[in-house]
Protein backbone atom coordinates (compact mmCIF):
# COMPACT_ATOMS: atom_id res chain seq x y z
CA UNK A 1 0.00 0.00 0.00
CA UNK A 2 1.33 3.42 -0.94
CA UNK A 3 2.28 5.86 1.79
CA UNK A 4 0.81 9.37 2.28
CA UNK A 5 2.82 11.96 0.37
CA UNK A 6 2.02 15.09 2.43
CA UNK A 7 2.35 15.73 6.16
CA UNK A 8 0.61 18.76 7.66
CA UNK A 9 1.09 20.45 11.04
CA UNK A 10 -1.01 23.35 12.32
CA UNK A 11 0.38 25.12 15.39
CA UNK A 12 -0.24 28.14 17.57
CA UNK A 13 2.51 30.68 18.17
CA UNK A 14 4.53 31.01 21.34
CA UNK A 15 5.15 34.23 23.27
CA UNK A 16 7.88 35.21 20.81
CA UNK A 17 5.66 34.73 17.79
CA UNK A 18 7.37 31.51 16.69
CA UNK A 19 5.61 28.20 15.91
CA UNK A 20 4.78 26.51 19.20
CA UNK A 21 2.34 23.78 20.23
CA UNK A 22 1.13 21.62 17.34
CA UNK A 23 -2.64 21.24 17.66
CA UNK A 24 -3.37 19.28 14.47
CA UNK A 25 -1.39 16.81 12.40
CA UNK A 26 -2.45 14.98 9.29
CA UNK A 27 -1.00 12.70 6.61
CA UNK A 28 -2.52 12.84 3.13
CA UNK A 29 -2.13 11.26 -0.28
CA UNK A 30 -2.85 14.42 -2.30
CA UNK A 31 -1.82 18.06 -2.07
CA UNK A 32 -5.49 19.01 -2.46
CA UNK A 33 -6.46 17.14 0.71
CA UNK A 34 -3.41 18.47 2.52
CA UNK A 35 -4.29 22.07 1.63
CA UNK A 36 -7.92 21.56 2.59
CA UNK A 37 -6.95 20.12 5.98
CA UNK A 38 -4.40 22.87 6.61
CA UNK A 39 -6.88 25.67 5.95
CA UNK A 40 -9.78 24.01 7.77
CA UNK A 41 -7.77 23.38 10.90
CA UNK A 42 -6.03 26.77 10.78
CA UNK A 43 -9.44 28.45 10.74
CA UNK A 44 -10.70 26.19 13.54
CA UNK A 45 -7.62 26.89 15.68
CA UNK A 46 -7.95 30.63 15.12
CA UNK A 47 -11.63 30.51 16.03
CA UNK A 48 -11.49 28.27 19.11
CA UNK A 49 -8.44 29.92 20.65
CA UNK A 50 -9.43 33.41 19.46
CA UNK A 51 -6.03 34.12 17.91
CA UNK A 52 -5.44 35.89 14.61
CA UNK A 53 -2.18 34.27 13.62
CA UNK A 54 -1.27 30.59 13.28
CA UNK A 55 1.55 28.51 11.85
CA UNK A 56 1.17 25.90 9.09
CA UNK A 57 3.78 23.62 7.56
CA UNK A 58 3.31 21.08 4.78
CA UNK A 59 6.05 18.55 4.04
CA UNK A 60 6.13 16.56 0.82
CA UNK A 61 7.30 13.00 1.50
CA UNK A 62 9.04 10.60 -0.86
CA UNK A 63 10.86 7.33 -0.16
CA UNK A 64 11.46 8.02 3.51
CA UNK A 65 12.71 11.58 3.01
CA UNK A 66 10.83 14.84 2.93
CA UNK A 67 11.17 18.47 1.97
CA UNK A 68 9.36 21.49 3.30
CA UNK A 69 6.75 22.34 0.67
CA UNK A 70 4.94 25.13 2.54
CA UNK A 71 5.90 27.04 5.67
CA UNK A 72 3.46 29.75 6.68
CA UNK A 73 2.76 32.21 9.50
CA UNK A 74 -0.29 34.46 9.29
CA UNK A 75 -4.07 34.51 9.43
CA UNK A 76 -6.28 31.78 7.92
CA UNK A 77 -7.42 34.33 5.34
CA UNK A 78 -3.83 35.00 4.31
CA UNK A 79 -3.26 31.24 4.17
CA UNK A 80 -6.22 30.83 1.80
CA UNK A 81 -4.81 33.54 -0.46
CA UNK A 82 -1.35 31.99 -0.47
CA UNK A 83 -2.45 28.40 -1.06
CA UNK A 84 -4.86 29.41 -3.81
CA UNK A 85 -1.91 30.91 -5.69
CA UNK A 86 -0.16 27.53 -5.70
CA UNK A 87 -1.57 25.18 -8.38
CA UNK A 88 -1.02 22.07 -6.26
CA UNK A 89 -3.12 23.44 -3.38
CA UNK A 90 -5.67 25.63 -5.13
CA UNK A 91 -8.41 22.99 -5.40
CA UNK A 92 -8.08 22.21 -1.72
CA UNK A 93 -8.83 25.84 -0.89
CA UNK A 94 -11.89 25.83 -3.16
CA UNK A 95 -13.28 22.76 -1.35
CA UNK A 96 -12.48 23.88 2.17
CA UNK A 97 -15.01 23.96 4.99
CA UNK A 98 -14.42 26.64 7.63
CA UNK A 99 -16.28 27.81 10.68
CA UNK A 100 -19.04 30.39 10.44
CA UNK A 101 -18.45 33.92 11.76
CA UNK A 102 -19.00 34.33 15.48
CA UNK A 103 -21.95 36.65 14.93
CA UNK A 104 -23.67 33.88 12.94
CA UNK A 105 -23.14 31.18 15.54
CA UNK A 106 -24.43 33.54 18.23
CA UNK A 107 -27.53 34.48 16.21
CA UNK A 108 -28.27 30.86 15.28
CA UNK A 109 -27.81 29.69 18.87
CA UNK A 110 -30.40 32.27 19.98
CA UNK A 111 -32.82 31.04 17.32
CA UNK A 112 -32.38 27.39 18.30
CA UNK A 113 -32.90 28.24 21.94
CA UNK A 114 -36.13 30.15 21.26
CA UNK A 115 -37.45 28.01 18.38
CA UNK A 116 -36.09 24.46 18.19
CA UNK A 117 -36.34 22.92 14.69
CA UNK A 118 -38.75 20.13 13.84
CA UNK A 119 -37.74 16.57 14.75
CA UNK A 120 -36.40 14.36 11.98
CA UNK A 121 -39.70 12.48 11.79
CA UNK A 122 -41.45 15.64 10.57
CA UNK A 123 -38.95 17.21 8.18
CA UNK A 124 -40.49 15.57 5.11
CA UNK A 125 -44.00 16.83 5.84
CA UNK A 126 -45.66 19.19 3.32
CA UNK A 127 -44.89 22.87 3.85
CA UNK A 128 -41.66 22.30 5.79
CA UNK A 129 -38.74 24.54 4.80
CA UNK A 130 -35.04 24.40 5.68
CA UNK A 131 -33.37 27.57 6.93
CA UNK A 132 -29.66 28.20 6.48
CA UNK A 133 -27.20 31.09 6.63
CA UNK A 134 -24.58 31.64 3.94
CA UNK A 135 -21.70 33.90 4.95
CA UNK A 136 -19.72 35.28 2.02
CA UNK A 137 -16.11 36.47 2.10
CA UNK A 138 -13.89 37.97 -0.61
CA UNK A 139 -12.38 35.16 -2.67
CA UNK A 140 -10.33 33.08 -2.33
CA UNK A 141 -11.19 33.13 1.39
CA UNK A 142 -13.86 30.42 1.73
CA UNK A 143 -17.50 31.16 2.44
CA UNK A 144 -19.46 29.37 5.18
CA UNK A 145 -22.84 27.65 5.23
CA UNK A 146 -24.66 27.17 8.52
CA UNK A 147 -27.73 24.94 8.63
CA UNK A 148 -30.28 26.27 11.12
CA UNK A 149 -32.91 23.54 10.77
CA UNK A 150 -36.30 22.57 9.33
CA UNK A 151 -39.42 24.53 10.26
CA UNK A 152 -43.04 24.85 9.25
CA UNK A 153 -43.37 27.45 6.49
CA UNK A 154 -44.60 30.35 8.64
CA UNK A 155 -41.91 29.72 11.27
CA UNK A 156 -39.22 29.36 8.62
CA UNK A 157 -40.04 32.72 7.07
CA UNK A 158 -40.18 34.38 10.49
CA UNK A 159 -36.80 32.96 11.50
CA UNK A 160 -35.17 33.78 8.17
CA UNK A 161 -36.43 37.36 8.32
CA UNK A 162 -35.13 37.71 11.88
CA UNK A 163 -31.69 36.38 10.95
CA UNK A 164 -31.53 38.60 7.86
CA UNK A 165 -32.29 41.63 10.02
CA UNK A 166 -29.71 40.66 12.65
CA UNK A 167 -26.96 39.92 10.13
CA UNK A 168 -27.76 42.59 7.58
CA UNK A 169 -28.47 40.02 4.89
CA UNK A 170 -31.07 39.09 2.31
CA UNK A 171 -33.23 35.98 1.87
CA UNK A 172 -32.91 33.84 -1.23
CA UNK A 173 -35.23 30.83 -1.79
CA UNK A 174 -33.40 27.78 -3.13
CA UNK A 175 -34.00 24.18 -4.26
CA UNK A 176 -37.45 24.80 -5.67
CA UNK A 177 -38.35 27.03 -2.73
CA UNK A 178 -37.68 24.30 -0.15
CA UNK A 179 -34.78 26.20 1.42
CA UNK A 180 -34.64 29.76 2.73
CA UNK A 181 -31.03 30.91 2.58
CA UNK A 182 -30.00 34.05 4.43
CA UNK A 183 -27.02 35.55 2.60
CA UNK A 184 -24.81 38.14 4.24
CA UNK A 185 -21.26 39.45 4.00
CA UNK A 186 -19.02 38.21 6.80
CA UNK A 187 -16.68 40.69 8.38
CA UNK A 188 -13.02 40.18 7.49
CA UNK A 189 -9.95 41.97 8.77
CA UNK A 190 -8.09 44.54 6.71
CA UNK A 191 -5.18 42.09 6.54
CA UNK A 192 -7.35 39.37 5.02
CA UNK A 193 -9.06 41.77 2.62
CA UNK A 194 -5.70 43.01 1.34
CA UNK A 195 -4.48 39.42 0.93
CA UNK A 196 -7.61 38.50 -1.03
CA UNK A 197 -7.30 41.53 -3.30
CA UNK A 198 -3.64 40.79 -3.92
CA UNK A 199 -4.38 37.16 -4.81
CA UNK A 200 -6.85 38.33 -7.47
CA UNK A 201 -4.19 40.64 -8.92
CA UNK A 202 -1.68 37.78 -8.98
CA UNK A 203 -4.17 35.53 -10.75
CA UNK A 204 -4.98 38.21 -13.35
CA UNK A 205 -1.31 38.90 -14.03
CA UNK A 206 -0.60 35.21 -14.51
CA UNK A 207 -3.56 34.91 -16.89
CA UNK A 208 -2.33 37.89 -18.91
CA UNK A 209 1.20 36.47 -19.13
CA UNK A 210 -0.07 33.05 -20.23
CA UNK A 211 -1.83 34.40 -23.33
CA UNK A 212 1.06 36.56 -24.55
CA UNK A 213 3.48 35.47 -27.26
CA UNK A 214 6.88 34.75 -25.66
CA UNK A 215 8.71 36.30 -28.60
CA UNK A 216 6.54 39.10 -29.92
CA UNK A 217 5.46 40.19 -26.44
CA UNK A 218 8.72 39.51 -24.61
CA UNK A 219 9.10 43.08 -23.36
CA UNK A 220 5.52 43.17 -22.10
CA UNK A 221 5.93 39.78 -20.42
CA UNK A 222 9.04 41.02 -18.64
CA UNK A 223 7.16 44.03 -17.29
CA UNK A 224 4.22 41.91 -16.13
CA UNK A 225 6.57 39.38 -14.55
CA UNK A 226 8.21 42.20 -12.58
CA UNK A 227 4.78 43.31 -11.36
CA UNK A 228 4.01 39.72 -10.40
CA UNK A 229 7.25 39.36 -8.46
CA UNK A 230 6.49 42.56 -6.60
CA UNK A 231 3.02 41.36 -5.63
CA UNK A 232 4.33 37.99 -4.50
CA UNK A 233 7.06 39.66 -2.45
CA UNK A 234 4.44 41.59 -0.49
CA UNK A 235 3.12 38.36 0.95
CA UNK A 236 6.43 37.51 2.61
CA UNK A 237 7.42 40.46 4.81
CA UNK A 238 10.75 39.88 6.55
CA UNK A 239 9.60 40.47 10.13
CA UNK A 240 7.03 41.94 12.46
CA UNK A 241 7.72 43.98 15.58
CA UNK A 242 6.12 41.53 17.99
CA UNK A 243 3.64 38.71 18.22
CA UNK A 244 0.67 40.89 19.11
CA UNK A 245 0.86 43.64 16.55
CA UNK A 246 -0.99 42.86 13.32
CA UNK A 247 1.07 43.62 10.24
CA UNK A 248 -0.53 44.40 6.93
CA UNK A 249 0.35 41.77 4.36
CA UNK A 250 0.55 44.46 1.68
CA UNK A 251 3.66 46.14 3.08
CA UNK A 252 7.16 44.67 3.24
CA UNK A 253 8.74 45.09 6.66
CA UNK A 254 12.35 44.56 5.76
CA UNK A 255 13.26 47.60 7.88
CA UNK A 256 11.19 46.58 10.88
CA UNK A 257 12.25 47.96 14.25
CA UNK A 258 14.39 45.56 16.28
CA UNK A 259 12.48 45.10 19.52
CA UNK A 260 13.99 43.09 22.38
CA UNK A 261 12.49 39.63 22.48
CA UNK A 262 10.60 40.18 19.22
CA UNK A 263 10.32 37.36 16.74
CA UNK A 264 12.23 37.76 13.50
CA UNK A 265 10.34 34.98 11.75
CA UNK A 266 8.74 36.07 8.49
CA UNK A 267 5.00 36.44 8.18
CA UNK A 268 3.21 34.97 5.22
CA UNK A 269 4.49 32.23 2.92
CA UNK A 270 8.00 31.59 4.18
CA UNK A 271 9.03 28.93 1.70
CA UNK A 272 7.20 28.70 -1.59
CA UNK A 273 7.12 25.18 -3.05
CA UNK A 274 9.48 24.53 -5.92
CA UNK A 275 8.36 22.55 -8.95
CA UNK A 276 8.53 18.78 -8.70
CA UNK A 277 10.29 18.71 -12.09
CA UNK A 278 13.03 21.12 -11.06
CA UNK A 279 15.21 18.41 -9.62
CA UNK A 280 15.26 20.00 -6.18
CA UNK A 281 17.12 17.76 -3.76
CA UNK A 282 15.10 16.11 -1.02
CA UNK A 283 16.30 16.58 2.55
CA UNK A 284 15.13 15.28 5.89
CA UNK A 285 12.70 17.83 7.30
CA UNK A 286 13.30 19.14 10.82
CA UNK A 287 10.21 18.73 12.99
CA UNK A 288 8.84 21.54 15.11
CA UNK A 289 10.10 21.30 18.69
CA UNK A 290 6.76 21.14 20.42
CA UNK A 291 4.81 19.07 22.86
CA UNK A 292 2.84 16.34 21.06
CA UNK A 293 -0.56 17.52 19.94
CA UNK A 294 -3.65 15.65 18.80
CA UNK A 295 -2.95 13.43 15.83
CA UNK A 296 -5.23 13.45 12.81
CA UNK A 297 -4.74 11.39 9.68
CA UNK A 298 -6.35 11.34 6.30
CA UNK A 299 -8.25 8.25 7.34
CA UNK A 300 -9.38 9.36 10.80
CA UNK A 301 -9.51 13.16 10.73
CA UNK A 302 -12.97 14.68 10.62
CA UNK A 303 -13.70 18.41 10.80
CA UNK A 304 -17.07 19.77 11.85
CA UNK A 305 -19.22 20.82 8.93
CA UNK A 306 -19.53 24.46 9.90
CA UNK A 307 -20.06 25.67 6.35
CA UNK A 308 -19.12 25.11 2.76
CA UNK A 309 -16.67 27.34 0.99
Amino acid sequence: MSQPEFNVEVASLDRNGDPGFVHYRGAFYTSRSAGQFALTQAAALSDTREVDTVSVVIDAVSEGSSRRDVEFIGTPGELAAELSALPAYKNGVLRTVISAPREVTTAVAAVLDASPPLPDSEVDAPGVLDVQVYSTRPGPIPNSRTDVGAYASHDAHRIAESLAADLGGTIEPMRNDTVLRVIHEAEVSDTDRIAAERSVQVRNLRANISVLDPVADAEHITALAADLDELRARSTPDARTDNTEAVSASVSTSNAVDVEGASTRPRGLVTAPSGRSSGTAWATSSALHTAPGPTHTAATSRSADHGLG
Side-chain angles (χ1 to χ4, degrees):
M1 181 177 180
S2 61
Q3 297 297 313
E5 296 184 3
F6 298 90
N7 293 329
V8 182
E9 290 186 343
V10 181
S12 55
L13 304 185
D14 62 21
R15 67 179 64 184
N16 295 320
D18 295 319
F21 187 87
V22 176
H23 296 265
Y24 304 101
R25 287 188 177 96
F28 301 89
Y29 292 97
T30 66
S31 58
R32 183 188 70 184
S33 296
Q36 184 176 358
F37 176 85
L39 183 52
T40 300
Q41 303 307 324
L45 177 60
S46 176
D47 182 57
T48 56
R49 295 181 64 88
E50 298 185 8
V51 295
D52 294 330
T53 307
V54 298
S55 167
V56 171
V57 295
I58 303 177
D59 290 332
V61 183
S62 176
E63 298 179 354
S65 298
S66 67
R67 64 175 169 82
R68 184 58 45 87
D69 213 19
V70 170
E71 184 176 4
F72 172 88
I73 293 177
T75 69
E78 289 177 295
L79 177 63
E82 295 297 346
L83 291 182
S84 68
L86 306 176
Y89 297 96
K90 179 180 178 180
N91 287 339
V93 175
L94 297 178
R95 297 168 61 90
T96 294
V97 176
I98 68 172
S99 55
R102 198 167 296 276
E103 64 267 24
V104 171
T105 56
T106 299
V108 170
V111 166
L112 296 178
D113 184 58
S115 303
L118 295 173
D120 292 343
S121 59
E122 299 181 28
V123 297
D124 293 327
V128 172
L129 303 178
D130 288 322
V131 178
Q132 62 179 222
V133 177
Y134 197 74
S135 308
T136 65
R137 301 179 180 90
I141 304 175
N143 301 326
S144 298
R145 191 189 71 197
T146 305
D147 293 318
V148 181
Y151 295 88
S153 180
H154 62 282
D155 287 331
H157 281 89
R158 173 180 57 81
I159 289 170
E161 289 168 1
S162 175
L163 287 171
D166 290 343
L167 300 173
T170 58
I171 302 173
E172 179 180 325
M174 298 185 61
R175 300 177 191 168
N176 296 322
D177 295 337
T178 61
V179 175
L180 295 180
R181 171 177 280 188
V182 177
I183 302 176
H184 78 110
E185 291 185 8
E187 292 185 6
V188 297
S189 67
D190 290 341
T191 298
D192 286 354
R193 192 173 299 279
I194 290 170
E197 292 172 352
R198 186 176 57 250
S199 71
V200 173
Q201 292 176 311
V202 168
R203 184 169 64 248
N204 290 341
L205 278 173
R206 285 176 171 168
N208 289 338
I209 292 174
S210 68
V211 298
L212 293 175
D213 184 277
V215 177
D217 301 315
E219 184 175 345
H220 193 36
I221 290 176
T222 300
L224 290 177
D227 291 341
L228 181 59
D229 288 341
E230 180 182 356
L231 279 172
R232 295 296 298 147
R234 292 179 187 177
S235 66
T236 56
D238 292 338
R240 60 187 183 278
T241 56
D242 58 46
N243 65 311
T244 59
E245 178 182 357
V247 178
S248 171
S250 67
V251 180
S252 174
T253 57
S254 57
N255 298 319
V257 178
D258 184 16
V259 179
E260 183 178 358
S263 169
T264 58
R265 292 188 63 87
R267 179 187 179 90
L269 192 65
V270 181
T271 54
S274 55
R276 291 294 178 87
S277 61
S278 63
T280 302
W282 291 73
T284 301
S285 172
S286 58
L288 292 176
H289 300 293
T290 65
T295 300
H296 297 254
T297 67
T300 62
S301 174
R302 294 293 183 270
S303 58
D305 189 1
H306 295 290
L308 297 179

